[in-house]
PDB file of all heavy atoms in Angstrom:
ATOM      1  N   GLU A   1      -9.130   7.367  19.984  1.00 93.00           N
ATOM      2  CA  GLU A   1      -8.185   7.587  21.073  1.00 93.00           C
ATOM      3  C   GLU A   1      -7.452   6.266  21.300  1.00 93.00           C
ATOM      4  O   GLU A   1      -8.045   5.200  21.252  1.00 93.00           O
ATOM      5  CB  GLU A   1      -8.972   8.025  22.307  1.00 93.00           C
ATOM      6  CG  GLU A   1      -8.192   8.098  23.587  1.00 93.00           C
ATOM      7  CD  GLU A   1      -8.311   6.822  24.390  1.00 93.00           C
ATOM      8  OE1 GLU A   1      -9.334   6.142  24.336  1.00 93.00           O
ATOM      9  OE2 GLU A   1      -7.348   6.518  25.089  1.00 93.00           O
ATOM     10  N   SER A   2      -6.141   6.368  21.485  1.00 88.00           N
ATOM     11  CA  SER A   2      -5.352   5.171  21.754  1.00 88.00           C
ATOM     12  C   SER A   2      -4.308   5.557  22.804  1.00 88.00           C
ATOM     13  O   SER A   2      -3.414   6.373  22.520  1.00 88.00           O
ATOM     14  CB  SER A   2      -4.678   4.689  20.472  1.00 88.00           C
ATOM     15  OG  SER A   2      -3.812   3.597  20.757  1.00 88.00           O
ATOM     16  N   GLY A   3      -4.445   4.994  23.958  1.00 86.00           N
ATOM     17  CA  GLY A   3      -3.531   5.412  25.040  1.00 86.00           C
ATOM     18  C   GLY A   3      -3.764   6.868  25.359  1.00 86.00           C
ATOM     19  O   GLY A   3      -4.874   7.280  25.648  1.00 86.00           O
ATOM     20  N   GLU A   4      -2.719   7.625  25.254  1.00 87.00           N
ATOM     21  CA  GLU A   4      -2.815   9.063  25.526  1.00 87.00           C
ATOM     22  C   GLU A   4      -2.894   9.886  24.263  1.00 87.00           C
ATOM     23  O   GLU A   4      -2.937  11.122  24.339  1.00 87.00           O
ATOM     24  CB  GLU A   4      -1.612   9.510  26.367  1.00 87.00           C
ATOM     25  CG  GLU A   4      -1.595   8.920  27.750  1.00 87.00           C
ATOM     26  CD  GLU A   4      -0.484   9.513  28.601  1.00 87.00           C
ATOM     27  OE1 GLU A   4       0.375  10.250  28.079  1.00 87.00           O
ATOM     28  OE2 GLU A   4      -0.487   9.250  29.814  1.00 87.00           O
ATOM     29  N   LYS A   5      -2.912   9.264  23.103  1.00 92.00           N
ATOM     30  CA  LYS A   5      -2.949  10.001  21.847  1.00 92.00           C
ATOM     31  C   LYS A   5      -4.339  10.065  21.265  1.00 92.00           C
ATOM     32  O   LYS A   5      -5.114   9.128  21.386  1.00 92.00           O
ATOM     33  CB  LYS A   5      -1.991   9.380  20.849  1.00 92.00           C
ATOM     34  CG  LYS A   5      -0.542   9.535  21.265  1.00 92.00           C
ATOM     35  CD  LYS A   5       0.382   8.998  20.222  1.00 92.00           C
ATOM     36  CE  LYS A   5       1.817   9.170  20.728  1.00 92.00           C
ATOM     37  NZ  LYS A   5       2.772   8.542  19.876  1.00 92.00           N
ATOM     38  N   ILE A   6      -4.632  11.183  20.618  1.00 95.00           N
ATOM     39  CA  ILE A   6      -5.910  11.366  19.921  1.00 95.00           C
ATOM     40  C   ILE A   6      -5.607  11.438  18.437  1.00 95.00           C
ATOM     41  O   ILE A   6      -4.658  12.108  18.022  1.00 95.00           O
ATOM     42  CB  ILE A   6      -6.613  12.645  20.389  1.00 95.00           C
ATOM     43  CG1 ILE A   6      -7.004  12.502  21.851  1.00 95.00           C
ATOM     44  CG2 ILE A   6      -7.807  12.952  19.523  1.00 95.00           C
ATOM     45  CD1 ILE A   6      -7.558  13.762  22.465  1.00 95.00           C
ATOM     46  N   ARG A   7      -6.399  10.745  17.635  1.00 97.00           N
ATOM     47  CA  ARG A   7      -6.223  10.719  16.180  1.00 97.00           C
ATOM     48  C   ARG A   7      -7.514  11.214  15.533  1.00 97.00           C
ATOM     49  O   ARG A   7      -8.602  10.717  15.843  1.00 97.00           O
ATOM     50  CB  ARG A   7      -5.926   9.298  15.710  1.00 97.00           C
ATOM     51  CG  ARG A   7      -5.823   9.154  14.205  1.00 97.00           C
ATOM     52  CD  ARG A   7      -5.633   7.691  13.831  1.00 97.00           C
ATOM     53  NE  ARG A   7      -4.405   7.178  14.381  1.00 97.00           N
ATOM     54  CZ  ARG A   7      -3.235   7.168  13.734  1.00 97.00           C
ATOM     55  NH1 ARG A   7      -3.151   7.654  12.521  1.00 97.00           N
ATOM     56  NH2 ARG A   7      -2.156   6.675  14.317  1.00 97.00           N
ATOM     57  N   ILE A   8      -7.368  12.212  14.661  1.00 98.00           N
ATOM     58  CA  ILE A   8      -8.481  12.710  13.871  1.00 98.00           C
ATOM     59  C   ILE A   8      -8.125  12.422  12.419  1.00 98.00           C
ATOM     60  O   ILE A   8      -7.140  12.910  11.906  1.00 98.00           O
ATOM     61  CB  ILE A   8      -8.706  14.226  14.057  1.00 98.00           C
ATOM     62  CG1 ILE A   8      -8.878  14.580  15.544  1.00 98.00           C
ATOM     63  CG2 ILE A   8      -9.884  14.710  13.218  1.00 98.00           C
ATOM     64  CD1 ILE A   8      -8.778  16.042  15.848  1.00 98.00           C
ATOM     65  N   THR A   9      -8.952  11.571  11.778  1.00 98.00           N
ATOM     66  CA  THR A   9      -8.671  11.122  10.416  1.00 98.00           C
ATOM     67  C   THR A   9      -9.691  11.731   9.451  1.00 98.00           C
ATOM     68  O   THR A   9     -10.906  11.682   9.726  1.00 98.00           O
ATOM     69  CB  THR A   9      -8.733   9.602  10.328  1.00 98.00           C
ATOM     70  OG1 THR A   9      -7.802   9.041  11.275  1.00 98.00           O
ATOM     71  CG2 THR A   9      -8.345   9.126   8.927  1.00 98.00           C
ATOM     72  N   VAL A  10      -9.199  12.273   8.367  1.00 98.00           N
ATOM     73  CA  VAL A  10     -10.035  12.804   7.277  1.00 98.00           C
ATOM     74  C   VAL A  10      -9.717  11.932   6.054  1.00 98.00           C
ATOM     75  O   VAL A  10      -8.583  11.914   5.606  1.00 98.00           O
ATOM     76  CB  VAL A  10      -9.764  14.289   6.986  1.00 98.00           C
ATOM     77  CG1 VAL A  10     -10.617  14.779   5.832  1.00 98.00           C
ATOM     78  CG2 VAL A  10      -9.986  15.127   8.232  1.00 98.00           C
ATOM     79  N   GLU A  11     -10.743  11.230   5.544  1.00 97.00           N
ATOM     80  CA  GLU A  11     -10.528  10.306   4.442  1.00 97.00           C
ATOM     81  C   GLU A  11     -11.556  10.558   3.359  1.00 97.00           C
ATOM     82  O   GLU A  11     -12.730  10.773   3.649  1.00 97.00           O
ATOM     83  CB  GLU A  11     -10.646   8.880   4.950  1.00 97.00           C
ATOM     84  CG  GLU A  11     -10.507   7.822   3.886  1.00 97.00           C
ATOM     85  CD  GLU A  11     -10.697   6.435   4.422  1.00 97.00           C
ATOM     86  OE1 GLU A  11      -9.786   5.907   5.057  1.00 97.00           O
ATOM     87  OE2 GLU A  11     -11.813   5.881   4.225  1.00 97.00           O
ATOM     88  N   ASP A  12     -11.102  10.496   2.115  1.00 96.00           N
ATOM     89  CA  ASP A  12     -12.044  10.522   0.994  1.00 96.00           C
ATOM     90  C   ASP A  12     -11.701   9.305   0.136  1.00 96.00           C
ATOM     91  O   ASP A  12     -10.760   8.571   0.408  1.00 96.00           O
ATOM     92  CB  ASP A  12     -11.972  11.834   0.204  1.00 96.00           C
ATOM     93  CG  ASP A  12     -10.646  12.051  -0.489  1.00 96.00           C
ATOM     94  OD1 ASP A  12     -10.344  11.312  -1.443  1.00 96.00           O
ATOM     95  OD2 ASP A  12      -9.912  12.975  -0.105  1.00 96.00           O
ATOM     96  N   GLN A  13     -12.456   9.091  -0.918  1.00 95.00           N
ATOM     97  CA  GLN A  13     -12.283   7.884  -1.728  1.00 95.00           C
ATOM     98  C   GLN A  13     -11.480   8.118  -2.993  1.00 95.00           C
ATOM     99  O   GLN A  13     -11.447   7.277  -3.879  1.00 95.00           O
ATOM    100  CB  GLN A  13     -13.656   7.293  -2.046  1.00 95.00           C
ATOM    101  CG  GLN A  13     -14.483   6.966  -0.813  1.00 95.00           C
ATOM    102  CD  GLN A  13     -13.696   6.152   0.213  1.00 95.00           C
ATOM    103  OE1 GLN A  13     -13.198   5.097  -0.098  1.00 95.00           O
ATOM    104  NE2 GLN A  13     -13.566   6.696   1.414  1.00 95.00           N
ATOM    105  N   GLY A  14     -10.793   9.237  -3.068  1.00 90.00           N
ATOM    106  CA  GLY A  14      -9.965   9.535  -4.223  1.00 90.00           C
ATOM    107  C   GLY A  14      -8.567   8.982  -4.042  1.00 90.00           C
ATOM    108  O   GLY A  14      -8.267   8.246  -3.121  1.00 90.00           O
ATOM    109  N   SER A  15      -7.713   9.344  -4.969  1.00 86.00           N
ATOM    110  CA  SER A  15      -6.304   8.989  -4.866  1.00 86.00           C
ATOM    111  C   SER A  15      -5.494  10.253  -5.050  1.00 86.00           C
ATOM    112  O   SER A  15      -5.928  11.206  -5.668  1.00 86.00           O
ATOM    113  CB  SER A  15      -5.922   7.942  -5.911  1.00 86.00           C
ATOM    114  OG  SER A  15      -6.105   8.450  -7.202  1.00 86.00           O
ATOM    115  N   CYS A  16      -4.329  10.260  -4.470  1.00 86.00           N
ATOM    116  CA  CYS A  16      -3.489  11.474  -4.455  1.00 86.00           C
ATOM    117  C   CYS A  16      -2.346  11.311  -5.443  1.00 86.00           C
ATOM    118  O   CYS A  16      -1.768  10.241  -5.556  1.00 86.00           O
ATOM    119  CB  CYS A  16      -2.969  11.680  -3.035  1.00 86.00           C
ATOM    120  SG  CYS A  16      -2.052  13.199  -2.855  1.00 86.00           S
ATOM    121  N   GLU A  17      -2.013  12.380  -6.122  1.00 85.00           N
ATOM    122  CA  GLU A  17      -0.902  12.328  -7.063  1.00 85.00           C
ATOM    123  C   GLU A  17       0.460  12.295  -6.358  1.00 85.00           C
ATOM    124  O   GLU A  17       1.473  12.010  -6.979  1.00 85.00           O
ATOM    125  CB  GLU A  17      -0.967  13.505  -8.033  1.00 85.00           C
ATOM    126  CG  GLU A  17      -0.793  14.857  -7.384  1.00 85.00           C
ATOM    127  CD  GLU A  17      -1.062  16.000  -8.333  1.00 85.00           C
ATOM    128  OE1 GLU A  17      -2.243  16.274  -8.604  1.00 85.00           O
ATOM    129  OE2 GLU A  17      -0.082  16.649  -8.774  1.00 85.00           O
ATOM    130  N   PHE A  18       0.471  12.595  -5.065  1.00 87.00           N
ATOM    131  CA  PHE A  18       1.714  12.544  -4.288  1.00 87.00           C
ATOM    132  C   PHE A  18       1.742  11.261  -3.485  1.00 87.00           C
ATOM    133  O   PHE A  18       0.720  10.729  -3.069  1.00 87.00           O
ATOM    134  CB  PHE A  18       1.772  13.740  -3.337  1.00 87.00           C
ATOM    135  CG  PHE A  18       1.802  15.079  -4.017  1.00 87.00           C
ATOM    136  CD1 PHE A  18       0.648  15.828  -4.139  1.00 87.00           C
ATOM    137  CD2 PHE A  18       2.977  15.577  -4.547  1.00 87.00           C
ATOM    138  CE1 PHE A  18       0.662  17.059  -4.762  1.00 87.00           C
ATOM    139  CE2 PHE A  18       3.005  16.816  -5.179  1.00 87.00           C
ATOM    140  CZ  PHE A  18       1.846  17.552  -5.296  1.00 87.00           C
ATOM    141  N   ASP A  19       2.962  10.757  -3.247  1.00 85.00           N
ATOM    142  CA  ASP A  19       3.108   9.540  -2.438  1.00 85.00           C
ATOM    143  C   ASP A  19       3.695   9.819  -1.062  1.00 85.00           C
ATOM    144  O   ASP A  19       3.758   8.931  -0.235  1.00 85.00           O
ATOM    145  CB  ASP A  19       4.021   8.534  -3.150  1.00 85.00           C
ATOM    146  CG  ASP A  19       3.353   7.961  -4.386  1.00 85.00           C
ATOM    147  OD1 ASP A  19       2.108   7.786  -4.373  1.00 85.00           O
ATOM    148  OD2 ASP A  19       4.048   7.673  -5.380  1.00 85.00           O
ATOM    149  N   SER A  20       4.124  11.054  -0.831  1.00 87.00           N
ATOM    150  CA  SER A  20       4.854  11.367   0.396  1.00 87.00           C
ATOM    151  C   SER A  20       4.308  12.625   1.048  1.00 87.00           C
ATOM    152  O   SER A  20       4.146  13.663   0.388  1.00 87.00           O
ATOM    153  CB  SER A  20       6.334  11.579   0.048  1.00 87.00           C
ATOM    154  OG  SER A  20       7.014  12.257   1.049  1.00 87.00           O
ATOM    155  N   ILE A  21       4.063  12.545   2.350  1.00 89.00           N
ATOM    156  CA  ILE A  21       3.641  13.719   3.106  1.00 89.00           C
ATOM    157  C   ILE A  21       4.780  14.744   3.140  1.00 89.00           C
ATOM    158  O   ILE A  21       4.535  15.946   3.128  1.00 89.00           O
ATOM    159  CB  ILE A  21       3.166  13.346   4.523  1.00 89.00           C
ATOM    160  CG1 ILE A  21       2.546  14.565   5.236  1.00 89.00           C
ATOM    161  CG2 ILE A  21       4.289  12.792   5.363  1.00 89.00           C
ATOM    162  CD1 ILE A  21       1.255  15.028   4.692  1.00 89.00           C
ATOM    163  N   LYS A  22       6.010  14.265   3.109  1.00 91.00           N
ATOM    164  CA  LYS A  22       7.162  15.181   3.122  1.00 91.00           C
ATOM    165  C   LYS A  22       7.147  16.080   1.900  1.00 91.00           C
ATOM    166  O   LYS A  22       7.297  17.296   2.017  1.00 91.00           O
ATOM    167  CB  LYS A  22       8.462  14.399   3.225  1.00 91.00           C
ATOM    168  CG  LYS A  22       9.682  15.267   3.328  1.00 91.00           C
ATOM    169  CD  LYS A  22      10.951  14.476   3.461  1.00 91.00           C
ATOM    170  CE  LYS A  22      12.103  15.459   3.581  1.00 91.00           C
ATOM    171  NZ  LYS A  22      13.381  14.839   3.574  1.00 91.00           N
ATOM    172  N   THR A  23       6.946  15.495   0.733  1.00 89.00           N
ATOM    173  CA  THR A  23       6.891  16.299  -0.493  1.00 89.00           C
ATOM    174  C   THR A  23       5.686  17.239  -0.489  1.00 89.00           C
ATOM    175  O   THR A  23       5.807  18.410  -0.804  1.00 89.00           O
ATOM    176  CB  THR A  23       6.796  15.371  -1.722  1.00 89.00           C
ATOM    177  OG1 THR A  23       7.943  14.525  -1.753  1.00 89.00           O
ATOM    178  CG2 THR A  23       6.710  16.163  -3.016  1.00 89.00           C
ATOM    179  N   MET A  24       4.527  16.692  -0.120  1.00 88.00           N
ATOM    180  CA  MET A  24       3.292  17.471  -0.163  1.00 88.00           C
ATOM    181  C   MET A  24       3.307  18.648   0.796  1.00 88.00           C
ATOM    182  O   MET A  24       2.630  19.650   0.527  1.00 88.00           O
ATOM    183  CB  MET A  24       2.143  16.557   0.244  1.00 88.00           C
ATOM    184  CG  MET A  24       1.098  16.454  -0.762  1.00 88.00           C
ATOM    185  SD  MET A  24      -0.303  15.485  -0.182  1.00 88.00           S
ATOM    186  CE  MET A  24       0.460  14.068   0.541  1.00 88.00           C
ATOM    187  N   SER A  25       4.001  18.520   1.915  1.00 89.00           N
ATOM    188  CA  SER A  25       3.957  19.587   2.921  1.00 89.00           C
ATOM    189  C   SER A  25       5.077  20.621   2.769  1.00 89.00           C
ATOM    190  O   SER A  25       5.205  21.494   3.603  1.00 89.00           O
ATOM    191  CB  SER A  25       3.975  18.974   4.336  1.00 89.00           C
ATOM    192  OG  SER A  25       5.170  18.241   4.531  1.00 89.00           O
ATOM    193  N   GLU A  26       5.852  20.514   1.685  1.00 90.00           N
ATOM    194  CA  GLU A  26       6.837  21.563   1.416  1.00 90.00           C
ATOM    195  C   GLU A  26       6.097  22.830   0.952  1.00 90.00           C
ATOM    196  O   GLU A  26       5.049  22.753   0.332  1.00 90.00           O
ATOM    197  CB  GLU A  26       7.811  21.106   0.326  1.00 90.00           C
ATOM    198  CG  GLU A  26       8.758  20.015   0.788  1.00 90.00           C
ATOM    199  CD  GLU A  26       9.683  19.539  -0.315  1.00 90.00           C
ATOM    200  OE1 GLU A  26       9.742  20.194  -1.377  1.00 90.00           O
ATOM    201  OE2 GLU A  26      10.335  18.511  -0.103  1.00 90.00           O
ATOM    202  N   ALA A  27       6.688  23.965   1.263  1.00 91.00           N
ATOM    203  CA  ALA A  27       6.050  25.236   0.868  1.00 91.00           C
ATOM    204  C   ALA A  27       5.912  25.357  -0.647  1.00 91.00           C
ATOM    205  O   ALA A  27       6.830  24.969  -1.380  1.00 91.00           O
ATOM    206  CB  ALA A  27       6.892  26.404   1.398  1.00 91.00           C
ATOM    207  N   PHE A  28       4.778  25.814  -1.075  1.00 91.00           N
ATOM    208  CA  PHE A  28       4.429  26.086  -2.475  1.00 91.00           C
ATOM    209  C   PHE A  28       4.276  24.840  -3.353  1.00 91.00           C
ATOM    210  O   PHE A  28       4.186  24.946  -4.561  1.00 91.00           O
ATOM    211  CB  PHE A  28       5.433  27.069  -3.111  1.00 91.00           C
ATOM    212  CG  PHE A  28       5.586  28.340  -2.322  1.00 91.00           C
ATOM    213  CD1 PHE A  28       6.744  28.582  -1.593  1.00 91.00           C
ATOM    214  CD2 PHE A  28       4.550  29.258  -2.283  1.00 91.00           C
ATOM    215  CE1 PHE A  28       6.876  29.736  -0.835  1.00 91.00           C
ATOM    216  CE2 PHE A  28       4.669  30.416  -1.515  1.00 91.00           C
ATOM    217  CZ  PHE A  28       5.833  30.664  -0.810  1.00 91.00           C
ATOM    218  N   VAL A  29       4.190  23.663  -2.734  1.00 87.00           N
ATOM    219  CA  VAL A  29       3.888  22.441  -3.495  1.00 87.00           C
ATOM    220  C   VAL A  29       2.373  22.270  -3.509  1.00 87.00           C
ATOM    221  O   VAL A  29       1.747  22.338  -2.470  1.00 87.00           O
ATOM    222  CB  VAL A  29       4.567  21.204  -2.856  1.00 87.00           C
ATOM    223  CG1 VAL A  29       4.092  19.922  -3.520  1.00 87.00           C
ATOM    224  CG2 VAL A  29       6.080  21.327  -2.983  1.00 87.00           C
ATOM    225  N   LYS A  30       1.811  22.056  -4.684  1.00 81.00           N
ATOM    226  CA  LYS A  30       0.369  21.892  -4.787  1.00 81.00           C
ATOM    227  C   LYS A  30       0.035  20.964  -5.939  1.00 81.00           C
ATOM    228  O   LYS A  30       0.834  20.777  -6.859  1.00 81.00           O
ATOM    229  CB  LYS A  30      -0.331  23.236  -4.936  1.00 81.00           C
ATOM    230  CG  LYS A  30       0.060  24.029  -6.152  1.00 81.00           C
ATOM    231  CD  LYS A  30      -0.629  25.378  -6.138  1.00 81.00           C
ATOM    232  CE  LYS A  30      -0.448  26.093  -7.458  1.00 81.00           C
ATOM    233  NZ  LYS A  30      -1.271  27.270  -7.535  1.00 81.00           N
ATOM    234  N   SER A  31      -1.161  20.405  -5.887  1.00 78.00           N
ATOM    235  CA  SER A  31      -1.604  19.523  -6.956  1.00 78.00           C
ATOM    236  C   SER A  31      -1.953  20.355  -8.191  1.00 78.00           C
ATOM    237  O   SER A  31      -2.132  21.563  -8.119  1.00 78.00           O
ATOM    238  CB  SER A  31      -2.824  18.701  -6.515  1.00 78.00           C
ATOM    239  OG  SER A  31      -3.978  19.534  -6.484  1.00 78.00           O
ATOM    240  N   GLN A  32      -2.070  19.669  -9.316  1.00 75.00           N
ATOM    241  CA  GLN A  32      -2.415  20.368 -10.556  1.00 75.00           C
ATOM    242  C   GLN A  32      -3.801  20.994 -10.500  1.00 75.00           C
ATOM    243  O   GLN A  32      -4.053  21.991 -11.159  1.00 75.00           O
ATOM    244  CB  GLN A  32      -2.299  19.403 -11.724  1.00 75.00           C
ATOM    245  CG  GLN A  32      -0.906  18.933 -11.997  1.00 75.00           C
ATOM    246  CD  GLN A  32      -0.823  17.911 -13.089  1.00 75.00           C
ATOM    247  OE1 GLN A  32      -1.841  17.408 -13.585  1.00 75.00           O
ATOM    248  NE2 GLN A  32       0.376  17.600 -13.515  1.00 75.00           N
ATOM    249  N   LYS A  33      -4.709  20.415  -9.692  1.00 74.00           N
ATOM    250  CA  LYS A  33      -6.060  20.943  -9.594  1.00 74.00           C
ATOM    251  C   LYS A  33      -6.205  22.111  -8.615  1.00 74.00           C
ATOM    252  O   LYS A  33      -7.193  22.778  -8.593  1.00 74.00           O
ATOM    253  CB  LYS A  33      -7.027  19.835  -9.137  1.00 74.00           C
ATOM    254  CG  LYS A  33      -7.168  18.695 -10.127  1.00 74.00           C
ATOM    255  CD  LYS A  33      -8.211  17.721  -9.654  1.00 74.00           C
ATOM    256  CE  LYS A  33      -7.567  16.647  -8.811  1.00 74.00           C
ATOM    257  NZ  LYS A  33      -8.524  15.643  -8.330  1.00 74.00           N
TER     258      LYS A  33
END
């Protein structure tokens, strides 16, 4: 919690093939796996 905002973070130790949340969150975009 910071000020009035709440942050929930999910982290793993891998790496992502995408560099942008904008690209990743487009409809029908998915990783090869």
Side-chain angles (χ1 to χ4, degrees):
E1 172 265 329
S2 176
E4 293 187 351
K5 294 184 180 173
I6 295 173
R7 176 184 298 268
I8 305 167
T9 304
V10 178
E11 178 183 283
D12 66 67
Q13 302 311 302
S15 62
C16 184
E17 64 188 76
F18 298 99
D19 290 327
S20 161
I21 188 69
K22 183 178 181 186
T23 300
M24 238 185 313
S25 61
E26 291 178 10
F28 306 108
V29 171
K30 60 184 191 171
S31 74
Q32 294 177 351
K33 295 185 269 181

